[in-house]
Amino acid sequence: MRPRKIPLRKCVACQEMMPKKELIRVVRTPDGEVGIDLTGKKAGRGAYLCGKVNCFKLAKKSKALDRALKQPVGDHIYDQLEQEFIAVEEQFIAAKELTPDDDEAE
Ligand SMILES: [Zn+2]
């Protein structure tokens, strides 16, 4: 058995490297629409953020998404994303807690 490599991605706000599945992907579609991509499979340029509203706020303040998506993201888009992010954060945390942790199994 080969050790499996965990794909790491960098959060565009806090610059921390994290396993991809612990990050939320924001995507700019080929149509120029910016939104949260929970599947991680949408076509387009992606940017990753920790699943934390604080990190989103940081990204908003520093306009990190503008740079990561190579497109100016309007304030209203940031506001809209922030709302989505707050909703998604709860699901995201719930999903993580539901994931069985095998540490205790003997
Ligand atoms: Zn972060």
Side-chain angles (χ1 to χ4, degrees):
M1 283 240 279
R2 286 181 202 194
R4 234 203 263 166
K5 266 203 188 164
I6 299 167
L8 294 176
R9 291 291 182 276
K10 203 202 280 182
C11 169
V12 298
C14 67
Q15 312 286 311
E16 232 180 276
M17 295 295 284
M18 302 263 286
K20 209 172 149 187
K21 60 175 183 177
E22 292 188 22
L23 295 161
I24 291 178
R25 184 171 188 248
V26 177
V27 70
R28 169 170 63 84
T29 67
D31 301 335
E33 269 182 54
V34 177
I36 288 175
D37 170 26
L38 286 179
T39 64
K41 290 187 178 111
K42 272 193 203 166
R45 173 169 277 276
Y48 292 87
L49 281 165
C50 310
K52 283 183 246 155
V53 171
N54 277 348
C55 256
F56 184 82
K57 287 190 173 148
L58 190 66
K60 186 177 171 183
K61 213 169 130 191
S62 62
K63 301 244 178 243
L65 286 177
D66 292 39
R67 285 193 300 278
L69 299 174
K70 303 207 189 300
Q71 169 178 296
V73 179
D75 283 344
H76 65 290
I77 302 281
Y78 274 109
D79 287 345
Q80 192 188 313
L81 282 174
E82 189 173 353
Q83 294 308 312
E84 285 182 48
F85 217 86
I86 291 166
V88 162
E89 186 190 32
E90 282 171 24
Q91 292 175 28
F92 198 72
I93 292 167
K96 253 205 269 184
E97 281 170 0
L98 283 178
T99 311
D101 211 351
D102 286 335
D103 286 355
E104 287 173 356
E106 268 298 332

